[in-house]
Every structure is written in structure tokens, then in C-alpha cells.
Amino acid sequence: MGIVLRGGKIVTSEKTYSSDVRIDGEKIVAIGSDIEVSGDEIVDVAGSYIIPGGIDTHTHFDLDNGATMTADSFATGTKAAIAGGTTTILDFATQSKGESLTDGLKVWHMKADNKSYSDYGFHMAITDWNDSVRDEMDVMINEGVSSFKMYMAYKNLKVEDDVIYEALKKSEEIGGIIGFHCENGEVIDELIKEAKESGHLSLKYHPLTRPAILEAEATSRLMKIAEVAKSKVYVVHLSCKESLEEVKKAEARGVDVVVESCPQYLLLDEEQYFADGFEGAKYVMSPPLREKSNNDILWKAISDGDIDTIGTDHCSFNFKGQKDLGKDDFSKIPNGGPGVEHRIKLLYTYGVCRDKITINQLVDVVSTKPAKVFGMYPQKGAIEIGSDADITVINPNIKDVIKAENQVQNVDYTPYEDFEVDCAISRVYLRGTEVVKDGKVISKSPTGQYVKRRQARGAK
């Protein structure tokens, strides 16, 4: 017996059209009219949009930052993901100093396997470079990890420019792609030191010690290294006009760049840090929120095709008991915020409904392009015959207000408290099984599977 979604509008990255969809087992098996077979379950989705399940390119679940653990494990984080219409997440497995990439991958499999409500894959974060690690990148490709990450900031994570060059060359050779956290870590560390020595410990010094120009400098430097290495490159969580300009200049020179941003950089701004009290700690993340004018600049960049994917950088810490570790010293506030649950509704409401992007562009940046870039298309990211039946049904006729008390995310706040949304995620199917019905998660146990990904592809 199959399932037929009847009466909705299918939205892909290229077109919107009225059609029914038939699911049998884990796959989409027919698209059209009069496609039901005797015994099929007919699901009326009239007036709704049928889109491929979302892919969040950037999550941090079950992460130890050295002082505390994220509030969301793989179980709670992926449950929140499917509640928000995201059926696949890509988390960051991380190599610890002195360990192998294989060691890091094993640890993350232990965190996620048999605990995830959505499907999942891993980027491999490289923090310790040597000839053995270079060779292990081939092993990662064979294990279905076709993407990597390097940090240009944080003393315990960052790598030097020569390592970036060597790793980019290796990645290009094996068909991988490396994402980079672009901030000038050395200068930021000095700015933080100067602020603390001057007694400037309040949270407003978080953005002041991580200015946009230092994100742009690192982005510019990365672009030039990638140009010399003749390698494609992925910029994670781009937050500002200055970094975007460096990317566009590099692309004009022929550099193959894929750009990710996040909803917080489209909808929030640095004024959150300068209000009275400690509430601004909820928004402490890196890069920080930027000057408000950047919001519209980044929306336009999505519309123009200069931003390719929208992840969330979901890295949740409770306001009480975790964020307040830094109440007397901004540098001790755990960096990160929640967002995996609300991404699609926010982009639909403040992007599509405000005519900043089309609904097809929404599908492109939250699903189709991530699938293409990270070696999952057309298994994921597509409403096509033969694709996994990862389907999100968006009902545009329901309005709601985001409240932390109603969320699935295992955290005591949301950065989007009281944001109105003009849609509901009414149904979600994961490989043909309904996991969300009438906006509620109905999965009783985690059924997410590891996605063994193919070699990475470009986005343009």
C-alpha cells in the first residue's frame, strides 16, 4: 500500500506546479494525476506546498565546548529538525588534537547512530594536520564523508595558512570540499585580551572584539589561498557585506566558492548586544550579529544567487546555567544559538511572503543546493521519481507565533521569541514514513539513517 499526497503544489528549485505525489516504501514512485493504486492511503494536502525535505548544512549536536555540553543531543536536535521540516542534517564530526580523523568519525557515529530522528551525515573538522591526516582524507571519502571543515579562529581549533593550502589541494584531488570558519583568530584574541585588561567584561564586547572587517580579512585570505590551490571552497555562516564583497571579487577572478549563511544574519542584528541587562547573551555566537543593514544585503544575495545555502549553525546552550557562565566575563559566554526547528518557517515568512526571495529560491537554498554540493542529489533535495520520499508539506493558511515554551528544541529560549510566522509545517515524511502530522512530531523512536555521501559537487 502506498501513500498519495493529493491536491498540493509541488515546489522545486526551478518550478511550481499542481500535481499529486505517490510514495511507495521509501521512494517517490509517481508524480501526476490519477496515480493512486487500490489500497493507497490518500492524504489531502490541498492549498499546501509540497517541497523536498530540508537539509540543514550546519548543526552542532552533543558538542562539548570545553566548559559545557550543548543542550541538544542528536536525539533532541534531530527531533526538532523534523518538526521544522528538515529531514537531513549535516553535523561536524571533529578530530581532537593528536587523534586521527577515523577516531573523530567513530566518536560522532556513537553520538548519532540509532539516536537520530532525521537522516544525518557528517563534515569532518580537521584540527591537527600531518601526512597521515592528509592520507586519511581518502578514507573519509570512502566512509561517505565528502566534506571537511577548518577553523581560522579559536586557539584549540584553528589551522595555519600553509595547512589550508595543502588541505585544499588534497580536497580538490579527491573530489571533496572544505568549509571554513572565516575570522582572523590571532587579532581577535588580542582584541579580547585588550578588552579584558581594560576591565571591559560586559557582553557588548563580544561583537566589538569580533568586528566584520576581521571576518572579511579571513575570507579574503581564504579566497586567495583557494585561488592559488585551484580548489573549490565553502564559506560557512557568512554574516556581513564585507565578506560577501570579498567572495564576489574572488568569483570574478574565477574562484569556485560556495557560500552559506544563516537565518540569524538575515533577521537579527547587533542591537541585541547593547540592550540593558544580560539578555543579549542569548545572541552570543561567532561570527556575531552584525549592523542591521546587512540583513537586506544578505537577502538580496540569496535572490541574486550569491548565497547558495542556508544552514542554522544550531549550537544550543541554555540561557540559565550555561550562557550565564559568562555573566561576569563576555569571553566565557558559550558561543552559539538554537535554530534548526524554525529555519524553513522563518525563510518562508520573512523571505517569500515579503517578496525578498521566491519560494523556488527557498527550496534551492534549504534543500536542493545543499544536496548537490554535498553529494546527496537526487537521492535527497528533489521531488523526483526515484528520490527518497523526504517530503515537507507547508500550509500557508496557518499563522503562528514562535514561543520557546512550545518548541521541540531542548533549550530554554529561542532567538526568535514572538516572531510571527505565516505558515505551518503540517506534515513531514522521512523516506516515506510520516514523522510529523498536523504540525506535531509523531515518531515514537528515532529512525534516522546515516547518509553515505558521494563526492562533492559545485553549486553554480
Side-chain angles (χ1 to χ4, degrees), residues 2-36:
I3 301 169
V4 175
L5 304 183
R6 177 181 286 173
K9 285 187 177 181
I10 295 174
V11 183
T12 73
S13 61
E14 297 179 343
K15 59 184 178 179
T16 303
Y17 61 101
S18 297
S19 189
D20 299 341
V21 178
R22 183 169 186 268
I23 300 165
D24 195 357
E26 295 193 344
K27 300 292 183 180
I28 295 171
V29 297
I31 298 171
S33 57
D34 300 320
I35 57 176
E36 63 267 22

mmCIF file of all heavy atoms in Angstrom, residues 2-36:
data_model
loop_
_atom_site.group_PDB
_atom_site.id
_atom_site.type_symbol
_atom_site.label_atom_id
_atom_site.label_comp_id
_atom_site.label_asym_id
_atom_site.label_seq_id
_atom_site.Cartn_x
_atom_site.Cartn_y
_atom_site.Cartn_z
ATOM 1 N N GLY A 2 0.581 2.183 -0.896
ATOM 2 C CA GLY A 2 1.330 3.422 -0.976
ATOM 3 C C GLY A 2 0.588 4.576 -0.326
ATOM 4 O O GLY A 2 -0.474 4.413 0.277
ATOM 5 N N ILE A 3 1.163 5.749 -0.452
ATOM 6 C CA ILE A 3 0.575 6.981 0.055
ATOM 7 C C ILE A 3 0.529 7.979 -1.099
ATOM 8 O O ILE A 3 1.531 8.160 -1.806
ATOM 9 C CB ILE A 3 1.410 7.569 1.205
ATOM 10 C CG1 ILE A 3 1.516 6.576 2.366
ATOM 11 C CG2 ILE A 3 0.823 8.899 1.677
ATOM 12 C CD1 ILE A 3 2.542 6.982 3.420
ATOM 13 N N VAL A 4 -0.608 8.612 -1.286
ATOM 14 C CA VAL A 4 -0.733 9.645 -2.316
ATOM 15 C C VAL A 4 -1.036 10.978 -1.649
ATOM 16 O O VAL A 4 -2.029 11.095 -0.916
ATOM 17 C CB VAL A 4 -1.832 9.295 -3.340
ATOM 18 C CG1 VAL A 4 -2.022 10.449 -4.332
ATOM 19 C CG2 VAL A 4 -1.493 8.008 -4.088
ATOM 20 N N LEU A 5 -0.159 11.960 -1.881
ATOM 21 C CA LEU A 5 -0.412 13.334 -1.434
ATOM 22 C C LEU A 5 -1.177 14.026 -2.556
ATOM 23 O O LEU A 5 -0.644 14.208 -3.664
ATOM 24 C CB LEU A 5 0.902 14.052 -1.145
ATOM 25 C CG LEU A 5 1.836 13.385 -0.123
ATOM 26 C CD1 LEU A 5 3.070 14.250 0.105
ATOM 27 C CD2 LEU A 5 1.133 13.111 1.186
ATOM 28 N N ARG A 6 -2.417 14.386 -2.279
ATOM 29 C CA ARG A 6 -3.305 14.858 -3.344
ATOM 30 C C ARG A 6 -3.654 16.339 -3.153
ATOM 31 O O ARG A 6 -3.953 16.789 -2.043
ATOM 32 C CB ARG A 6 -4.590 14.039 -3.360
ATOM 33 C CG ARG A 6 -5.614 14.508 -4.405
ATOM 34 C CD ARG A 6 -6.865 13.678 -4.341
ATOM 35 N NE ARG A 6 -6.655 12.348 -4.911
ATOM 36 C CZ ARG A 6 -7.563 11.368 -4.852
ATOM 37 N NH1 ARG A 6 -8.699 11.552 -4.208
ATOM 38 N NH2 ARG A 6 -7.312 10.206 -5.409
ATOM 39 N N GLY A 7 -3.592 17.070 -4.269
ATOM 40 C CA GLY A 7 -4.147 18.421 -4.303
ATOM 41 C C GLY A 7 -3.190 19.543 -3.973
ATOM 42 O O GLY A 7 -3.588 20.706 -3.951
ATOM 43 N N GLY A 8 -1.914 19.222 -3.731
ATOM 44 C CA GLY A 8 -0.963 20.270 -3.381
ATOM 45 C C GLY A 8 -0.222 20.828 -4.574
ATOM 46 O O GLY A 8 -0.402 20.394 -5.719
ATOM 47 N N LYS A 9 0.614 21.800 -4.297
ATOM 48 C CA LYS A 9 1.501 22.377 -5.311
ATOM 49 C C LYS A 9 2.923 21.929 -5.018
ATOM 50 O O LYS A 9 3.445 22.185 -3.927
ATOM 51 C CB LYS A 9 1.427 23.903 -5.314
ATOM 52 C CG LYS A 9 0.172 24.463 -5.934
ATOM 53 C CD LYS A 9 0.254 25.987 -6.040
ATOM 54 C CE LYS A 9 -0.981 26.550 -6.732
ATOM 55 N NZ LYS A 9 -0.885 28.037 -6.852
ATOM 56 N N ILE A 10 3.543 21.257 -5.979
ATOM 57 C CA ILE A 10 4.927 20.841 -5.839
ATOM 58 C C ILE A 10 5.824 22.043 -6.122
ATOM 59 O O ILE A 10 5.646 22.743 -7.121
ATOM 60 C CB ILE A 10 5.257 19.688 -6.799
ATOM 61 C CG1 ILE A 10 4.445 18.441 -6.423
ATOM 62 C CG2 ILE A 10 6.750 19.374 -6.776
ATOM 63 C CD1 ILE A 10 4.601 17.290 -7.398
ATOM 64 N N VAL A 11 6.777 22.264 -5.243
ATOM 65 C CA VAL A 11 7.743 23.356 -5.439
ATOM 66 C C VAL A 11 9.135 22.743 -5.524
ATOM 67 O O VAL A 11 9.582 22.047 -4.612
ATOM 68 C CB VAL A 11 7.696 24.373 -4.289
ATOM 69 C CG1 VAL A 11 8.661 25.530 -4.577
ATOM 70 C CG2 VAL A 11 6.288 24.899 -4.082
ATOM 71 N N THR A 12 9.817 23.000 -6.627
ATOM 72 C CA THR A 12 11.214 22.619 -6.774
ATOM 73 C C THR A 12 12.050 23.889 -6.853
ATOM 74 O O THR A 12 11.525 25.000 -6.784
ATOM 75 C CB THR A 12 11.435 21.774 -8.041
ATOM 76 O OG1 THR A 12 11.346 22.615 -9.199
ATOM 77 C CG2 THR A 12 10.420 20.649 -8.143
ATOM 78 N N SER A 13 13.329 23.740 -7.035
ATOM 79 C CA SER A 13 14.187 24.919 -7.152
ATOM 80 C C SER A 13 13.937 25.671 -8.449
ATOM 81 O O SER A 13 14.358 26.816 -8.590
ATOM 82 C CB SER A 13 15.659 24.507 -7.068
ATOM 83 O OG SER A 13 15.979 23.619 -8.124
ATOM 84 N N GLU A 14 13.230 25.040 -9.394
ATOM 85 C CA GLU A 14 13.044 25.649 -10.716
ATOM 86 C C GLU A 14 11.602 25.988 -11.060
ATOM 87 O O GLU A 14 11.350 26.886 -11.863
ATOM 88 C CB GLU A 14 13.612 24.722 -11.790
ATOM 89 C CG GLU A 14 15.122 24.509 -11.650
ATOM 90 C CD GLU A 14 15.666 23.562 -12.702
ATOM 91 O OE1 GLU A 14 14.856 22.832 -13.322
ATOM 92 O OE2 GLU A 14 16.891 23.552 -12.908
ATOM 93 N N LYS A 15 10.622 25.264 -10.484
ATOM 94 C CA LYS A 15 9.239 25.499 -10.900
ATOM 95 C C LYS A 15 8.264 25.139 -9.786
ATOM 96 O O LYS A 15 8.603 24.431 -8.836
ATOM 97 C CB LYS A 15 8.911 24.705 -12.164
ATOM 98 C CG LYS A 15 9.094 23.204 -12.025
ATOM 99 C CD LYS A 15 8.830 22.497 -13.350
ATOM 100 C CE LYS A 15 9.068 20.990 -13.231
ATOM 101 N NZ LYS A 15 8.797 20.295 -14.508
ATOM 102 N N THR A 16 7.044 25.639 -9.943
ATOM 103 C CA THR A 16 5.939 25.345 -9.043
ATOM 104 C C THR A 16 4.768 24.871 -9.892
ATOM 105 O O THR A 16 4.405 25.531 -10.867
ATOM 106 C CB THR A 16 5.528 26.600 -8.253
ATOM 107 O OG1 THR A 16 6.662 27.106 -7.543
ATOM 108 C CG2 THR A 16 4.411 26.294 -7.273
ATOM 109 N N TYR A 17 4.176 23.725 -9.539
ATOM 110 C CA TYR A 17 3.089 23.192 -10.358
ATOM 111 C C TYR A 17 2.179 22.311 -9.509
ATOM 112 O O TYR A 17 2.593 21.751 -8.500
ATOM 113 C CB TYR A 17 3.634 22.413 -11.547
ATOM 114 C CG TYR A 17 4.476 21.208 -11.203
ATOM 115 C CD1 TYR A 17 3.950 19.920 -11.257
ATOM 116 C CD2 TYR A 17 5.811 21.351 -10.818
ATOM 117 C CE1 TYR A 17 4.729 18.811 -10.948
ATOM 118 C CE2 TYR A 17 6.599 20.242 -10.505
ATOM 119 C CZ TYR A 17 6.053 18.984 -10.577
ATOM 120 O OH TYR A 17 6.819 17.882 -10.270
ATOM 121 N N SER A 18 0.926 22.214 -9.948
ATOM 122 C CA SER A 18 -0.050 21.396 -9.233
ATOM 123 C C SER A 18 0.081 19.951 -9.681
ATOM 124 O O SER A 18 0.038 19.660 -10.891
ATOM 125 C CB SER A 18 -1.471 21.902 -9.511
ATOM 126 O OG SER A 18 -1.633 23.215 -9.021
ATOM 127 N N SER A 19 0.237 19.065 -8.726
ATOM 128 C CA SER A 19 0.365 17.649 -9.049
ATOM 129 C C SER A 19 0.272 16.831 -7.771
ATOM 130 O O SER A 19 0.522 17.332 -6.674
ATOM 131 C CB SER A 19 1.699 17.368 -9.750
ATOM 132 O OG SER A 19 1.731 16.040 -10.240
ATOM 133 N N ASP A 20 -0.093 15.553 -7.950
ATOM 134 C CA ASP A 20 -0.096 14.627 -6.829
ATOM 135 C C ASP A 20 1.234 13.880 -6.797
ATOM 136 O O ASP A 20 1.945 13.789 -7.803
ATOM 137 C CB ASP A 20 -1.243 13.621 -6.966
ATOM 138 C CG ASP A 20 -2.608 14.290 -6.983
ATOM 139 O OD1 ASP A 20 -2.704 15.452 -6.541
ATOM 140 O OD2 ASP A 20 -3.568 13.651 -7.450
ATOM 141 N N VAL A 21 1.551 13.345 -5.629
ATOM 142 C CA VAL A 21 2.792 12.585 -5.438
ATOM 143 C C VAL A 21 2.436 11.249 -4.801
ATOM 144 O O VAL A 21 1.697 11.209 -3.805
ATOM 145 C CB VAL A 21 3.785 13.341 -4.534
ATOM 146 C CG1 VAL A 21 5.051 12.508 -4.318
ATOM 147 C CG2 VAL A 21 4.137 14.698 -5.112
ATOM 148 N N ARG A 22 2.978 10.171 -5.368
ATOM 149 C CA ARG A 22 2.744 8.846 -4.779
ATOM 150 C C ARG A 22 4.042 8.304 -4.200
ATOM 151 O O ARG A 22 5.102 8.334 -4.848
ATOM 152 C CB ARG A 22 2.197 7.860 -5.813
ATOM 153 C CG ARG A 22 1.866 6.484 -5.207
ATOM 154 C CD ARG A 22 1.080 5.589 -6.147
ATOM 155 N NE ARG A 22 0.690 4.375 -5.452
ATOM 156 C CZ ARG A 22 1.396 3.236 -5.445
ATOM 157 N NH1 ARG A 22 2.541 3.158 -6.134
ATOM 158 N NH2 ARG A 22 0.980 2.184 -4.765
ATOM 159 N N ILE A 23 3.943 7.845 -2.955
ATOM 160 C CA ILE A 23 5.065 7.261 -2.236
ATOM 161 C C ILE A 23 4.805 5.767 -2.099
ATOM 162 O O ILE A 23 3.692 5.346 -1.769
ATOM 163 C CB ILE A 23 5.179 7.885 -0.824
ATOM 164 C CG1 ILE A 23 5.395 9.397 -0.882
ATOM 165 C CG2 ILE A 23 6.274 7.212 -0.020
ATOM 166 C CD1 ILE A 23 5.163 10.102 0.449
ATOM 167 N N ASP A 24 5.823 4.962 -2.325
ATOM 168 C CA ASP A 24 5.726 3.529 -2.050
ATOM 169 C C ASP A 24 7.033 3.084 -1.407
ATOM 170 O O ASP A 24 8.109 3.267 -1.999
ATOM 171 C CB ASP A 24 5.467 2.733 -3.336
ATOM 172 C CG ASP A 24 5.008 1.306 -3.044
ATOM 173 O OD1 ASP A 24 4.953 0.923 -1.853
ATOM 174 O OD2 ASP A 24 4.695 0.569 -3.998
ATOM 175 N N GLY A 25 6.947 2.552 -0.212
ATOM 176 C CA GLY A 25 8.171 2.244 0.524
ATOM 177 C C GLY A 25 8.887 3.529 0.881
ATOM 178 O O GLY A 25 8.283 4.468 1.396
ATOM 179 N N GLU A 26 10.167 3.606 0.572
ATOM 180 C CA GLU A 26 10.971 4.776 0.936
ATOM 181 C C GLU A 26 11.115 5.782 -0.200
ATOM 182 O O GLU A 26 11.769 6.800 -0.031
ATOM 183 C CB GLU A 26 12.362 4.328 1.389
ATOM 184 C CG GLU A 26 12.360 3.502 2.671
ATOM 185 C CD GLU A 26 13.743 3.341 3.258
ATOM 186 O OE1 GLU A 26 14.735 3.599 2.540
ATOM 187 O OE2 GLU A 26 13.833 2.987 4.454
ATOM 188 N N LYS A 27 10.498 5.515 -1.358
ATOM 189 C CA LYS A 27 10.767 6.313 -2.548
ATOM 190 C C LYS A 27 9.522 7.000 -3.095
ATOM 191 O O LYS A 27 8.391 6.570 -2.864
ATOM 192 C CB LYS A 27 11.363 5.429 -3.648
ATOM 193 C CG LYS A 27 12.674 4.740 -3.274
ATOM 194 C CD LYS A 27 13.813 5.727 -3.121
ATOM 195 C CE LYS A 27 15.131 5.025 -2.808
ATOM 196 N NZ LYS A 27 16.249 5.986 -2.650
ATOM 197 N N ILE A 28 9.749 8.066 -3.837
ATOM 198 C CA ILE A 28 8.717 8.673 -4.667
ATOM 199 C C ILE A 28 8.632 7.839 -5.937
ATOM 200 O O ILE A 28 9.632 7.638 -6.639
ATOM 201 C CB ILE A 28 9.079 10.136 -5.013
ATOM 202 C CG1 ILE A 28 9.103 10.985 -3.733
ATOM 203 C CG2 ILE A 28 8.083 10.708 -6.028
ATOM 204 C CD1 ILE A 28 9.664 12.378 -3.937
ATOM 205 N N VAL A 29 7.440 7.327 -6.234
ATOM 206 C CA VAL A 29 7.307 6.407 -7.370
ATOM 207 C C VAL A 29 6.461 6.968 -8.512
ATOM 208 O O VAL A 29 6.511 6.442 -9.633
ATOM 209 C CB VAL A 29 6.737 5.047 -6.919
ATOM 210 C CG1 VAL A 29 7.693 4.360 -5.956
ATOM 211 C CG2 VAL A 29 5.352 5.199 -6.286
ATOM 212 N N ALA A 30 5.686 8.019 -8.254
ATOM 213 C CA ALA A 30 4.877 8.603 -9.326
ATOM 214 C C ALA A 30 4.554 10.044 -8.985
ATOM 215 O O ALA A 30 4.371 10.405 -7.816
ATOM 216 C CB ALA A 30 3.588 7.813 -9.537
ATOM 217 N N ILE A 31 4.476 10.881 -10.019
ATOM 218 C CA ILE A 31 4.087 12.283 -9.901
ATOM 219 C C ILE A 31 3.118 12.569 -11.038
ATOM 220 O O ILE A 31 3.417 12.270 -12.204
ATOM 221 C CB ILE A 31 5.306 13.224 -10.006
ATOM 222 C CG1 ILE A 31 6.300 12.946 -8.866
ATOM 223 C CG2 ILE A 31 4.866 14.687 -9.964
ATOM 224 C CD1 ILE A 31 7.624 13.689 -9.015
ATOM 225 N N GLY A 32 1.947 13.107 -10.729
ATOM 226 C CA GLY A 32 0.968 13.378 -11.782
ATOM 227 C C GLY A 32 -0.436 13.331 -11.216
ATOM 228 O O GLY A 32 -0.661 13.535 -10.025
ATOM 229 N N SER A 33 -1.406 13.040 -12.070
ATOM 230 C CA SER A 33 -2.800 12.908 -11.647
ATOM 231 C C SER A 33 -3.249 11.466 -11.865
ATOM 232 O O SER A 33 -2.675 10.728 -12.680
ATOM 233 C CB SER A 33 -3.693 13.870 -12.440
ATOM 234 O OG SER A 33 -3.557 13.640 -13.837
ATOM 235 N N ASP A 34 -4.272 11.067 -11.137
ATOM 236 C CA ASP A 34 -4.813 9.698 -11.231
ATOM 237 C C ASP A 34 -3.715 8.657 -11.061
ATOM 238 O O ASP A 34 -3.606 7.695 -11.837
ATOM 239 C CB ASP A 34 -5.528 9.498 -12.575
ATOM 240 C CG ASP A 34 -6.680 10.474 -12.762
ATOM 241 O OD1 ASP A 34 -7.409 10.730 -11.783
ATOM 242 O OD2 ASP A 34 -6.824 10.996 -13.886
ATOM 243 N N ILE A 35 -2.906 8.812 -10.043
ATOM 244 C CA ILE A 35 -1.757 7.918 -9.844
ATOM 245 C C ILE A 35 -1.976 6.923 -8.709
ATOM 246 O O ILE A 35 -1.132 6.075 -8.464
ATOM 247 C CB ILE A 35 -0.465 8.719 -9.575
ATOM 248 C CG1 ILE A 35 -0.645 9.651 -8.359
ATOM 249 C CG2 ILE A 35 -0.036 9.494 -10.809
ATOM 250 C CD1 ILE A 35 0.622 10.408 -7.982
ATOM 251 N N GLU A 36 -3.140 7.033 -8.026
ATOM 252 C CA GLU A 36 -3.347 6.148 -6.895
ATOM 253 C C GLU A 36 -3.594 4.711 -7.361
ATOM 254 O O GLU A 36 -4.087 4.460 -8.461
ATOM 255 C CB GLU A 36 -4.499 6.634 -6.010
ATOM 256 C CG GLU A 36 -5.848 6.670 -6.686
ATOM 257 C CD GLU A 36 -6.153 8.035 -7.283
ATOM 258 O OE1 GLU A 36 -5.204 8.810 -7.555
ATOM 259 O OE2 GLU A 36 -7.339 8.311 -7.492
#
